[in-house]
Amino acid sequence: MKLFNIFKKDSPPMMGDVATSPDAKKNKSLSTDLIKVFDDYLESMPNPDTILVKEGSKYEVFSKILHDEYISGISSARIGVSKSFEWKIIANEANDEEIQIINTFTDNLWMNNLPEKIFHAINYGNQPLEIIWHMGDKYIVPNIIKLRSQEKFTYDSDFVFKYFKDTSDTDGSPVPDYKILMPTYNATPDNPYGNGNLSKAFWPVTFIKKSFDYWIIFAEQYGIPKLEAVISTALRQQLVQKGDQKDADILSHIEDNLAKLIQNGILTHFEGIDIKTLSMGSANQIKVFDDLRQACEKRLSVLYLGHESGAKSTAGELGNQNQAGLVMGHLILENNTLIENTYNQLLEWFHVLNYGDTTPPKIKLYQQDDTISLKNKADYFAV
């Protein structure tokens, strides 16, 4: 294996050897014939997410949802708790030197928001992370981890993880070893891409935006009282006889004066004009859209925070808030498990590349307490 391939940007993918049994060789031609029929449409397995199918498999639709103020706030609140956790390295069969190296590059990666990058998988269903390795005097260490677009990666019909080299590459190439971390959320045997929260948030956020837009239009058109001017018959006849004016001219003149009333608050007019205010809408009409917005926000709070009271505090609801705390604790554990599993994959690769096939070290997230000093992060813990 040529390890330098994992450092070169345009290096060809490294292919592992595949053992072939005699029976498999004997049936090779038959297998080829059977598979050939399906090659045209089984080569790549698209993401089955219903929103992506509707939008043409463009993850950009999820990024727009994440930019919504409410989604951005509750998403940041959830990952913010996990980012506050401390980490420790469990040595297993690693020696002191290896643990010291791991502590050093883990500090660096954590400072560059690695937990938040991994959390993207909870939002999008998956998040490809490219590892930029650095060759030191003795060891190969992960230096930078970059977010990569989901649309540049795919799975084929055999669930082989592939990437597209360029726009002309329609089949994809196997991902090089030790190069891409691929955390997933709610992945299944039939859907290796996972299913993220932004997919579930698509319709509630859309309804919120549409109802808010309608609320603005409603307020502009019906929130301000309208004026009605009733002209007496006597005044109409007087104006017609005096100025030989038509009805349209009279009405236009009065409308101009009413417009001045809106601006100046003062209107002078002849006796015989009765001005009234008209209420064009009721609070009950617009309340329908406000109720829709609140219902959608509750669903989003449950999705991200586990309970609607996680998004707001209500007096007299201590029981519900305790329940919300328990559910939120489960979701934080879910966050931390994803972060730990992803980072442990990185630690395993680092260990294999530098130390061989012994049991690799692992990371564990924990909450800081009075018995553990922040300075003890550099120490490692036995299982």
Side-chain angles (χ1 to χ4, degrees), residues 1-8 11-17 130-131 133 160-161 163 173-181 345 349 352-353:
M1 177 178 63
K2 297 180 180 179
L3 295 180
F4 64 86
N5 282 342
I6 62 179
F7 307 100
K8 295 174 65 176
S11 61
M14 295 179 289
M15 300 293 290
D17 294 328
E130 181 183 4
I131 307 169
W133 296 88
V160 175
F161 188 37
Y163 74 104
S173 303
V175 172
D177 294 339
Y178 312 117
K179 189 59 176 171
I180 299 293
L181 292 168
Q345 178 67 76
W349 289 351
V352 169
L353 290 172

Side-chain angles (χ1 to χ4, degrees), residues 247-272:
D247 286 345
D249 297 328
I250 296 173
L251 293 175
S252 176
H253 175 72
I254 294 175
E255 287 174 359
D256 290 341
N257 282 321
L258 289 176
K260 293 178 182 179
L261 169 62
I262 296 174
Q263 180 176 355
N264 302 326
I266 300 174
L267 174 67
T268 58
H269 59 83
F270 296 107
E271 182 179 0

Side-chain angles (χ1 to χ4, degrees), residues 261-364:
L261 169 62
I262 296 174
Q263 180 176 355
N264 302 326
I266 300 174
L267 174 67
T268 58
H269 59 83
F270 296 107
E271 182 179 0
I273 298 179
D274 184 19
I275 299 177
K276 303 177 181 179
T277 59
L278 300 177
S279 178
M280 302 302 294
S282 68
N284 289 333
Q285 289 174 302
I286 198 167
K287 186 175 183 298
V288 173
F289 300 97
D290 191 49
D291 288 345
L292 174 61
R293 175 189 61 80
Q294 291 187 33
C296 291
E297 288 183 351
K298 286 180 180 179
R299 292 190 64 177
L300 294 173
S301 295
V302 171
L303 175 64
Y304 273 91
L305 305 178
H307 197 274
E308 64 184 68
S309 65
K312 59 183 180 180
S313 177
T314 305
E317 292 189 358
L318 181 59
N320 286 341
Q321 290 175 354
N322 288 341
Q323 179 186 354
L326 292 174
V327 178
M328 184 63 178
H330 170 74
L331 294 178
I332 297 305
L333 179 61
E334 193 175 67
N335 293 357
N336 292 357
T337 300
L338 178 65
I339 294 171
E340 288 172 353
N341 290 344
T342 303
Y343 199 72
N344 284 335
Q345 178 67 76
L346 177 64
L347 293 182
E348 180 181 340
W349 289 351
F350 166 77
H351 184 78
V352 169
L353 290 172
N354 293 281
Y355 295 94
D357 296 329
T358 56
T359 305
K362 292 183 178 296
I363 196 170
K364 182 66 178 178

